Amino acid sequence: MKLTHFPVMLAVVILGCGSPDSTSPTSPDTPTTPVTDSLSIHVALGVPIDGNADDDFIIRRTQYQLSYSGIRNAANWVSWNLNAAWYGDAERSGSFLPDPDLPAQWYHPRTGDYTNSGYDRGHLVRSEERTRSGTDNVSTFYLSNILPQAPDMNQGVWLNLEYWCQDLCQKHNHELFIIAGGVFHTGRTVGNVVAIPDSCWKIVVVLERGQGLRDVTTSTPVYAAMIPNIAGVRSDTWDTYQTTVDRIEASTGYDFLSAVAKDVQTAIESHAGTFTTDIPHPATRHATRDR
Ligand code: MN
Ligand code: MN
């Protein structure tokens, strides 16, 4: 059923850009004409591609780019740019919303799917990372940007990774390119609809503020984590689960950083990033809540 509508959906995405922000002309990234992916900062290092494009419904937003699976009712990946300018004073929206840009005939995950499931509504793009404006923040609360995360994951080690990214931006003025998603093996769901990831992964490419694709070299620091979505990981720092992009590519079937020259890609995807004074080891930070 879903697949037969794919050509129509693709046309909608291309023509409509899937953007909820077309009413905010002052935003510099708001597309005014149909855009190619190369024009979105969020996929500047490449659009993740796997062998089955039928299960990648692409949603382009001013705030991030997302690939959604109509089979799992969950994101395949979300890709976003992050630097200090994305952090602001906007209030946390707080209300989780069905994504208005999913095809009308598809199931739209809703907040009630998570009720009494034992799983948190875990952000992929973190709420705090989109606080320039209320509109930015609301975009992180679309349930397409949410995966069921064990509370120890969401409020513990995943948050530790989010804090680490925040420090790289705010204390070290880095430019980050981030991709995140889940790995799904067991077919478990919340609400009988939304797939529960067995692990959640994140890839972080660390550049200097203002840099982009052309600045990625074989010595660009790249960090990757594959974290089990289970109880007991609350007080871990994320590097406990550090891995390589190659391994995440093998687990998910996606090619990441595909716009990077092949020889550079081979180099930076095959080894785990090391910590330096400018990119410090993640310290334990205790939060009272996730934003
Ligand atoms: Mn979270
Ligand atoms: Mn790759």
Side-chain angles (χ1 to χ4, degrees):
M1 174 197 86
K2 290 156 189 154
L3 299 187
T4 59
H5 289 88
F6 181 70
V8 175
M9 288 147 30
L10 187 62
V12 168
V13 170
I14 292 169
L15 296 173
C17 301
S19 171
D21 294 303
S22 51
T23 53
S24 53
T26 55
S27 174
D29 339 30
T30 300
T32 52
T33 56
V35 295
T36 62
D37 289 336
S38 63
L39 296 183
S40 169
I41 185 72
H42 304 306
V43 289
L45 305 191
V47 178
I49 301 287
D50 72 356
N52 177 19
D54 285 357
D55 196 31
D56 286 80
F57 181 79
I58 302 293
I59 297 176
R60 296 176 179 83
R61 298 205 150 97
T62 307
Q63 298 86 5
Y64 55 81
Q65 187 153 325
L66 182 150
S67 166
Y68 187 87
S69 166
I71 295 170
R72 290 196 193 104
N73 297 307
N76 296 307
W77 51 261
V78 186
S79 189
W80 68 106
N81 169 247
L82 188 64
N83 61 38
W86 286 99
Y87 294 87
D89 296 329
E91 287 296 309
R92 173 187 171 95
S93 152
S95 58
F96 294 87
L97 302 168
D99 190 326
D101 289 342
L102 290 178
Q105 72 273 23
W106 284 15
Y107 182 77
H108 286 50
R110 58 200 70 187
T111 189
D113 295 330
Y114 289 75
T115 305
N116 299 322
S117 70
Y119 284 86
D120 282 1
R121 291 160 297 199
H123 284 81
L124 290 169
V125 181
R126 185 188 179 202
S127 167
E128 182 71 37
E129 292 171 348
R130 291 297 183 257
T131 42
R132 288 187 312 187
S133 68
T135 305
D136 274 9
N137 192 250
V138 165
S139 75
T140 72
F141 281 86
Y142 290 142
L143 284 150
S144 52
N145 180 51
I146 303 297
L147 287 179
Q149 286 186 331
D152 283 356
M153 161 74 115
N154 178 43
Q155 302 166 36
V157 61
W158 191 255
L159 180 59
N160 175 258
L161 179 47
E162 293 170 330
Y163 275 141
W164 182 77
C165 292
Q166 182 173 5
D167 283 349
L168 294 188
C169 291
Q170 294 185 326
K171 296 182 179 172
H172 299 274
N173 205 26
H174 285 299
E175 188 87 39
L176 307 183
F177 292 87
I178 303 176
I179 318 160
V183 172
F184 304 83
H185 293 306
T186 51
R188 295 173 303 138
T189 59
V190 296
N192 264 328
V193 279
V194 178
I196 299 170
D198 296 287
S199 299
C200 294
W201 52 266
K202 183 175 274 187
I203 295 166
V204 184
V205 178
V206 183
L207 294 170
E208 299 307 315
R209 184 75 178 271
Q211 289 186 331
L213 176 62
R214 72 182 61 180
D215 303 296
V216 178
T217 69
T218 54
S219 49
T220 294
V222 177
Y223 301 82
M226 178 73 80
I227 306 174
N229 189 24
I230 57 174
V233 297
R234 183 173 293 257
S235 20
D236 294 339
T237 53
W238 74 261
D239 62 299
T240 307
Y241 305 99
Q242 194 175 1
T243 184
T244 64
V245 175
D246 276 346
R247 288 196 188 137
I248 298 179
E249 289 186 340
S251 296
T252 62
Y254 283 96
D255 179 16
F256 301 108
L257 314 179
S258 57
V260 174
K262 201 68 192 169
D263 57 324
V264 176
Q265 213 179 130
T266 301
I268 62 179
E269 290 182 346
S270 62
H271 68 271
T274 54
F275 300 104
T276 66
T277 50
D278 201 38
I279 307 177
H281 182 275
T284 304
R285 287 173 66 168
H286 296 288
T288 52
R289 67 160 197 186
D290 188 11
R291 260 188 62 112

